[in-house]
Amino acid sequence: MTRRAFLKGVGVVSGAIFLPQATLAATGSRTLNRLEIPERLDGIRSANGLSYVLRAQTGSKEFVSGLNTPTLGINRDYLGPTLFLRRGDDVQFNVTNALAEPTTLHWHGLHVPAKADGGPAQIIKPGATWAPQFTVNQPAGTFWYHSHLLHKTGEQVYRGLTGMIVLEDEVSDALALPKDYGIDDIPLTVQDRRFNSDGSFDYIGMHRDVMTGLFGDHILVNGTLNPVFTPTTQRVRFRLLNAANARTLTFAFDDQRDFQLIATDGGFVERPVTCTSLVLAPSERAEIVVDFADSKPCTLISLPLESGSPFATTGMMARMHTGNNERFDILRIEPSATVSSSPALPSTLATIPRLDPADAITTRRLTLSMAMGMGMMRGRGRGESFFINDQAMDMNVINYRVKKDTTEIWEIHNDSMMMHPFHIHHSQFQILDRDGVPPAAHEAGLKDTVKVGPGETVRFIMRFENYSDPNTAYMYHCHILEHEDNGMMGQFTVE
Ligand code: C2O
Ligand code: CU
Ligand code: CU
């Protein structure tokens, strides 16, 4: 496919000028930039535990040389520091909003009290500081934080309000895994972006950007365009975070080398899973370990969704929604001529106590749908076009009240022509089945987001414990941010 056809395929606003370098489909010589590693933030210890000082601010960054892009960031120009948390610690975040607009900060995947969750109700006004506290109480893993402002999440995340969270515990301490941050334990926050000719980010330009979610034509990794990373050790652990607004990534290596999947959204899988590719939708995470003993350069790429993938767009939408069908580079990897040896991977990583469907007191059925064509353009209410059980998100409606200390099954059905990554706050869940078929090894661990393909029905089981608050809700929603912002979200309390 030519670049022009590709750009047409993702629905580019006519008249926008595209920067010559580094579009997804571009090949040939490009200037590589050293992969940025966000600084780690460990918190300041006091008698009350650890406190982390975060400041949402505006900035600017030269992603493309010679052009300044106005950005948002946390403690920096674009994105935020990597927060290091430890199970058992009492933590407090002091989040100051130095923006001219309201924001919120949500700890995606963390098990926290509803008031500390940073959802759309925990608004931080300009100039204000929000100081949630909680005890870190869940297994080690890779999580992230991001703005969750109602109707504005997509735009604020796009401009930069997100960062990664690394959580450690006694299990992760004891495993012989690469864990030297920035050396052999590497965060990879992957995003796609579109730029205007003046360097500014191009957010929603047309109707299609909302319908399919916003697709960009440049890939940023930790905010670096055309990144290159140099392994100095035989084994490298990559913490993959799909932080795109809408694009699904199919991670693979251009030389088809395999890699070991060691963790999914909520932490370690029980045993490493050998993969040659891995599909992550927006907000999904995975930790992988890759062997560079051969010192051969290679490229981490994204492949088109496999033909016949349950996550492919169908019907009349298929022709206009081709963004997940492209192949492009994510990260160039050029190992040192000699790499230091790393210990062999442990054969077992963790034990995941299985939730028993017989313990579930209810099954909740949720159907995801979207209005198409003229119906969508007219919308309903404020123009919502995306629904769960035919309702758009309403801050005044608590959709479900869950009883504390119970187990529930949620059955998510997708009644639309494109895949939606369904995410729920409060806890990690375990997937029971996808159209009746139990999950493959790469989906059998702890998850907080699950891809639900067109026509599919996915069931997961989840336990609601530790926190209750009848007055403050948790969210569940599609993690394509333009869908979330336009109705595909609901609220539940645990009481
Ligand atoms: Cu990553 Cu409700 O969010
Ligand atoms: Cu979340
Ligand atoms: Cu969606």
Side-chain angles (χ1 to χ4, degrees):
M1 185 184 255
T2 64
R3 172 169 169 261
R4 190 188 168 81
F6 166 63
L7 293 175
K8 250 165 83 189
V10 293
V12 162
V13 195
S14 64
I17 296 167
F18 287 90
L19 303 169
Q21 329 169 319
T23 57
L24 293 183
T27 52
S29 65
R30 291 184 288 177
T31 316
L32 295 174
N33 303 304
R34 195 140 300 284
L35 175 72
E36 263 188 59
I37 305 291
E39 61 275 22
R40 62 180 280 171
L41 196 68
D42 283 279
I44 304 157
R45 197 168 284 282
S46 76
N48 302 326
L50 287 165
S51 83
Y52 296 75
V53 178
L54 300 174
R55 184 172 184 271
Q57 59 195 40
T58 56
S60 96
K61 191 171 158 72
E62 198 178 325
F63 295 102
V64 179
S65 73
L67 285 176
N68 276 318
T69 305
T71 53
L72 302 180
I74 293 134
N75 299 3
R76 59 209 303 268
D77 282 326
Y78 183 71
L79 306 179
T82 299
L83 309 182
F84 274 69
L85 304 184
R86 242 197 109 71
R87 187 170 194 169
D89 274 338
D90 295 317
V91 298
Q92 177 176 347
F93 294 96
N94 292 297
V95 187
T96 298
N97 180 4
L99 309 175
E101 57 185 326
T103 191
T104 82
L105 215 52
H106 165 59
W107 324 106
H108 180 123
L110 294 191
H111 176 49
V112 303
K115 275 204 166 70
D117 196 40
Q122 283 96 46
I123 290 179
I124 319 172
K125 296 205 179 93
T129 297
W130 176 61
Q133 293 181 303
F134 54 89
T135 303
V136 179
N137 182 22
Q138 68 191 89
T142 302
F143 305 89
W144 62 307
Y145 57 100
H146 60 77
S147 156
H148 213 305
L149 190 65
L150 191 68
H151 307 315
K152 286 280 187 186
T153 299
E155 180 161 9
Q156 292 194 343
V157 167
Y158 195 77
R159 299 198 188 284
L161 287 188
T162 117
M164 191 179 272
I165 299 174
V166 170
L167 197 162
E168 303 282 14
D169 67 1
E170 281 160 16
V171 174
S172 63
D173 287 350
L175 291 169
L177 290 170
K179 51 179 81 159
D180 197 351
Y181 181 74
I183 306 293
D184 63 6
D185 184 351
I186 306 297
L188 296 180
T189 295
V190 184
Q191 305 171 305
D192 57 339
R193 292 293 181 266
R194 252 176 15 210
F195 294 92
N196 294 308
S197 52
D198 63 358
S200 61
F201 282 134
D202 175 19
Y203 190 50
I204 291 177
M206 67 186 302
H207 172 63
R208 185 180 296 169
D209 293 341
V210 175
M211 184 154 60
T212 64
L214 193 131
F215 281 69
D217 54 1
H218 290 62
I219 293 291
L220 300 177
V221 184
N222 302 343
T224 315
L225 190 64
N226 298 335
V228 56
F229 171 69
T230 298
T232 55
T233 60
Q234 174 194 350
R235 290 194 170 82
V236 174
R237 173 192 201 168
F238 291 111
R239 296 178 188 263
L240 307 177
L241 161 62
N242 182 342
N245 280 35
R247 185 183 287 278
T248 289
L249 302 164
T250 301
F251 289 94
F253 290 89
D254 64 339
D255 60 2
Q256 284 148 359
R257 73 178 59 205
D258 61 20
F259 53 89
Q260 305 294 316
L261 172 73
I262 60 167
T264 55
D265 300 343
F268 292 118
V269 289
E270 297 198 301
R271 272 168 291 283
V273 181
T274 304
C275 301
T276 49
S277 70
L278 184 65
V279 184
L280 296 185
S283 94
E284 287 187 298
R285 287 90 63 209
E287 295 175 26
I288 62 170
V289 176
V290 192
D291 192 322
F292 297 109
D294 59 9
S295 278
K296 287 212 180 81
C298 62
T299 302
L300 176 66
I301 59 172
S302 182
L303 292 170
L305 275 180
E306 269 176 34
S307 67
S309 163
F311 310 127
T313 302
T314 60
M316 68 182 208
M317 264 197 89
R319 274 199 2 254
M320 70 173 77
H321 187 221
T322 56
N324 291 332
N325 303 339
E326 296 304 314
R327 175 190 168 118
F328 51 86
D329 293 355
I330 294 175
L331 175 69
R332 179 71 182 158
I333 298 172
E334 296 180 348
S336 302
T338 55
V339 290
S340 61
S341 70
S342 311
L345 269 198
S347 57
T348 59
L349 299 164
T351 313
I352 301 175
R354 289 288 147 192
L355 296 174
D356 183 350
D359 293 333
I361 61 163
T362 188
T363 295
R364 300 193 191 266
R365 294 193 170 79
L366 291 80
T367 297
L368 313 177
S369 65
M370 50 198 281
M372 298 289 294
M374 289 309 287
M376 176 175 181
M377 287 158 86
R378 269 188 243 107
R380 311 185 204 174
R382 65 171 279 283
E384 279 89 352
S385 307
F386 300 89
F387 310 98
I388 300 180
N389 291 346
D390 289 324
Q391 286 183 290
M393 168 69 180
D394 182 341
M395 280 301 281
N396 300 311
V397 174
I398 303 293
N399 302 85
Y400 299 115
R401 295 182 186 272
V402 173
K403 281 203 189 60
K404 183 173 175 269
D405 295 323
T406 62
T407 301
E408 296 193 354
I409 293 170
W410 286 43
E411 183 180 298
I412 317 300
H413 175 65
N414 179 350
D415 186 22
S416 78
M417 290 180 265
M418 62 178 286
M419 182 273 289
H420 302 281
F422 183 88
H423 167 57
I424 185 167
H425 295 205
H426 183 285
S427 280
Q428 298 291 321
F429 54 75
Q430 297 171 11
I431 299 172
L432 291 174
D433 44 45
R434 183 181 276 296
D435 283 343
V437 181
H442 68 277
E443 277 197 317
L446 299 175
K447 295 282 294 165
D448 57 49
T449 303
V450 61
K451 296 177 281 286
V452 187
E456 273 192 327
T457 300
V458 173
R459 291 192 318 146
F460 63 75
I461 186 166
M462 184 164 147
R463 178 118 184 112
F464 298 85
E465 54 191 7
N466 297 318
Y467 308 117
S468 64
D469 182 345
N471 301 312
T472 314
Y474 296 97
M475 304 295 129
Y476 54 85
H477 55 90
C478 174
H479 222 290
I480 291 175
L481 300 180
E482 289 70 30
H483 295 182
E484 171 190 339
D485 277 342
N486 289 284
M488 201 178 275
M489 178 156 69
Q491 316 187 70
F492 70 99
T493 52
V494 179
E495 45 190 76

